[in-house]
Amino acid sequence: MAEIQITFPDGSVRTYPSGITGMEIAKDISTSLAKKALAIKVNDEVWDLTRPIERDAKIKILTWEDPEGKMAFWHSSAHIMAEAIEYYYPDVKLAIGPPIEQGFYYDIDFGEHKFTPEDFEKIEKKFLELARSGETFVRKYIPKEEAIAFYKKRNNPYKLEILEQIPDDTVTFYYSGNFVDLCRGPHIPNSKVIKAMKILNVAGAYWRGDANNPQLTRVYAISFPSQKELKEYLHKLEEAKKRDHRKIGKQLQLFSFHEEGPGFPFWHPKGMIILNQLKTFMRKRLLQLDYEEIQTPIILSDVLWKRSGHYDNYKENMYFTSIDDRDFAIKPMNCPGSTFVYRSQQRSYQDLPLRLFEFGLVHRHEPSGALHGLFRVRAFTQDDAHIYCTPDQIEQEVIQLIHLVFDIYKIFGFEKVNVFLSTRPEKYIGDLAIWEKAENALKQALEKAEVNYTIQEGEGAFYGPKIDFVVHDSLDRAWQLGTIQLDFSMPERFDLNYIGADGQKHRPVMIHRAILGSFERFIGILIEHTAGNLPFWLAPIQVAVLPISDALIPYAEKVAQQLQKFRVIVDRSSETLNKKIRNAETQKIPYMVIVGKKEEENNQVSLRKHGKGNLGVMDITAALEVFENEFDPLK
RNA sequence: GCCGUUGUAGCUCAGGGGUAGAGCGCUUCCUUGGUAAGGAAGAGGUCGGCGGUUCAAGUCCGCCCAACGGCACCA
């Protein structure tokens, strides 16, 4: 038999007979590895451990520690779950069942039956029973004709549609237990390693993600090699739930939502402090960079929106009204308004770049099913700005912007930022030459700012290329915040111009940009990022003075007086000290200043830090100094 | 917008055809305290809205609204 050379990840090479399987190689290395092995990577392709390797290859045995190992594990779990579901509901039609980042799902047409959480338990039980029985996953090559006949007999239009799109004459099927599925694989060798599984939820999902197609039931689940890992995962889910900004917003009395205004947040006094602090902060930064602030109307004539193109492209998302028999629209974006400020006087090349920023309140008719706390609302305030410049100025402007964006994210503790450059799509407006110039300017800017970025070919807007900024929060979830979008359309539509050094009229380029995106959404992200423990400068109440008894209220007020440059409250309730501390802690107030007789006698306070505990007794001035040393970008 | 689930006191939730429940919060009283819940009493609800079935509906049925989980959407 021919021999082949197998190269391992560490670079070492071993010789094996051709046709050896991954499992045999794993066993050759060590029995413990063979036990843990789930799949094998063969020259960048993930294979079953039972599949014969016939040529020289670079391999890596995959275990639960490898993302690809997890994928195979969950993919196989999806098959077992489908088998369990078919056991109880033999008439279901399976569509697709892939692994995902956290677990797996199977899209299933349940016909008449409504699959609900009541079904979960019995499916989970059956699943574990099947997994424990030690099912093997056997890969078989089936002629496509045979596969089609198989699914025709089973009356499964979904699998037939998938088959139609496979060009090959032979397709692969996987057999495990009583289950058969058209599947590319790879799978784990034996189901015994799956020790724990939980169905997480069910949801409707369109076949092939198209809203015109029938809706299937998507069953989400996750599985693990041990019960312990499942427990930990469920615990993590709960922790994430605790950080939900909707919940914390309610607990801390920051904002609320009401039936009377779906998608329209009500900001309470404490939330307003955060909102205003953010605005003050952003305003200060922008004014330092030669931006000028403007404010444009919320309601503007529909003539304007027809001219801007929003009426044709964005009508579905706009609200309309009328005034004295004339038609108006509520602005969904600030850009058209900004152009009026630009046009209010003849601009010269010496005026450029002109940087106009607006904390613009926009309204958008989001589909009802899309609303989600502060993350997706129907009214929000963008930290918007429009920069009017010459094509030659794009690069320097974008460099400045990139630095600004990174500076600002850093202040909120967003250190990991991914940057994406989206280039010209198939449908676009404007000259090819200016597109190329603009895209090059963006690339140059990114490179000069020494930013790593990913190009998203063809993902730009029809009116210009753009750069997007995605940050990662403390739970490593990704959030798109900032965007820098070049626009060749708006200057054209509104006939914007400036007089160049040559005395002739020229067309400026418009740069739309937002850094936080929307203040409302950003606060939601910040709450989840910090679990509601906002930094000192953003905390609605910074210090709570807690008198040990009613008799100490006068001294508490005297102390509060001396701390008045901070947002300070005095707890005058006739509760025990323990209760007052508990209340301040649950309200996530950064500092507690505790005063009793002893402190009063020496003009001192006892300081306690939220989440940390007692910092000890000190002079009032020393406490003041502690607060003054807290980070404050507004100083 | 689509599919599914949910809607009971300010908040978190139990109850499930026959007089509406708990804890927290709120009010009052007692207690005056030393680093995460002191004690007692009281007030508070057209059980999301509108219709229907029934002697009787918070409970069963239909429609609507909203929230939640996904999908679709996010020029």
Side-chain angles (χ1 to χ4, degrees), chain A residues 347-629:
Chain A
R347 302 290 178 178
S348 143
Y349 72 97
Q350 299 193 41
D351 296 333
L352 307 183
L354 181 70
R355 309 184 184 95
L356 301 177
F357 78 94
E358 172 171 16
F359 295 156
L361 174 62
V362 296
H363 290 72
R364 295 182 184 177
H365 180 221
E366 300 290 349
S368 57
L371 301 179
H372 184 99
L374 293 175
F375 291 161
R376 195 82 178 265
V377 288
R378 285 177 172 158
F380 56 96
T381 314
Q382 291 178 301
D383 66 317
D384 209 354
H386 300 93
I387 297 168
Y388 301 87
C389 64
T390 68
D392 291 334
Q393 288 169 334
I394 293 174
E395 185 183 311
Q396 68 179 66
E397 278 308 300
V398 173
I399 289 174
Q400 186 199 51
L401 269 170
I402 292 169
H403 288 307
L404 176 63
V405 166
F406 276 86
D407 278 359
I408 285 175
Y409 291 169
K410 206 169 171 185
I411 281 178
F412 297 101
F414 296 121
E415 303 276 354
K416 184 175 160 195
V417 184
N418 290 336
V419 181
F420 299 91
L421 171 66
S422 298
T423 59
R424 181 167 48 82
E426 277 180 37
K427 265 179 71 181
Y428 67 96
I429 65 130
D431 290 347
L432 206 58
I434 195 160
W435 267 92
E436 272 168 20
K437 186 167 187 171
E439 285 178 3
N440 281 329
L442 292 184
K443 277 182 202 166
Q444 281 295 312
L446 286 164
E447 262 143 45
K448 284 192 185 166
E450 294 181 354
V451 171
N452 288 323
Y453 64 97
T454 310
I455 295 184
Q456 296 183 319
E457 215 68 65
E459 292 293 307
F462 71 86
Y463 51 76
K466 62 171 180 174
I467 297 174
D468 289 321
F469 298 86
V470 176
V471 304
H472 293 259
D473 69 12
S474 55
L475 298 181
D476 208 35
R477 294 173 302 181
W479 303 99
Q480 205 222 281
L481 296 184
T483 184
I484 299 174
Q485 305 191 0
L486 301 189
D487 188 346
F488 315 129
S489 163
M490 209 66 64
E492 199 75 35
R493 286 174 182 269
F494 287 98
D495 193 26
L496 304 184
N497 62 58
Y498 65 91
I499 305 296
D502 57 3
Q504 301 297 306
K505 281 188 180 177
H506 298 274
R507 190 73 77 207
V509 172
M510 192 174 179
I511 305 176
H512 308 250
R513 52 84 313 177
I515 297 170
L516 306 180
S518 108
F519 286 102
E520 289 82 351
R521 178 166 168 271
F522 187 74
I523 288 174
I525 293 167
L526 212 48
I527 289 171
E528 304 210 355
H529 178 56
T530 62
N533 302 308
L534 293 167
F536 189 73
W537 70 283
L538 286 172
I541 297 169
Q542 296 173 301
V543 182
V545 183
L546 313 180
I548 244 162
S549 75
D550 293 356
L552 273 305
I553 289 179
Y555 179 61
E557 281 172 345
K558 191 183 138 201
V559 170
Q561 189 68 27
Q562 290 185 63
L563 300 174
Q564 64 176 316
K565 60 189 284 198
F566 299 100
R567 295 184 288 277
V568 52
I569 57 154
V570 176
D571 186 343
R572 295 179 184 77
S573 65
S574 78
E575 296 288 352
T576 56
L577 177 63
N578 276 347
K579 188 58 178 290
K580 288 177 190 178
I581 288 171
R582 184 182 153 79
N583 287 342
E585 287 283 354
T586 54
Q587 284 299 302
K588 302 176 189 290
I589 298 170
Y591 286 102
M592 283 146 275
V593 164
I594 295 160
V595 293
K597 250 193 217 126
K598 282 181 273 179
E599 287 79 8
E600 186 180 21
E601 278 162 17
N602 303 310
N603 233 357
Q604 289 185 313
V605 296
S606 170
L607 196 60
R608 180 187 165 104
K609 190 168 185 170
H610 167 60
K612 291 268 179 344
N614 197 351
L615 298 184
V617 175
M618 61 187 77
D619 291 343
I620 299 177
T621 50
L624 206 72
E625 206 172 312
V626 170
F627 305 151
E628 269 163 359
N629 284 335

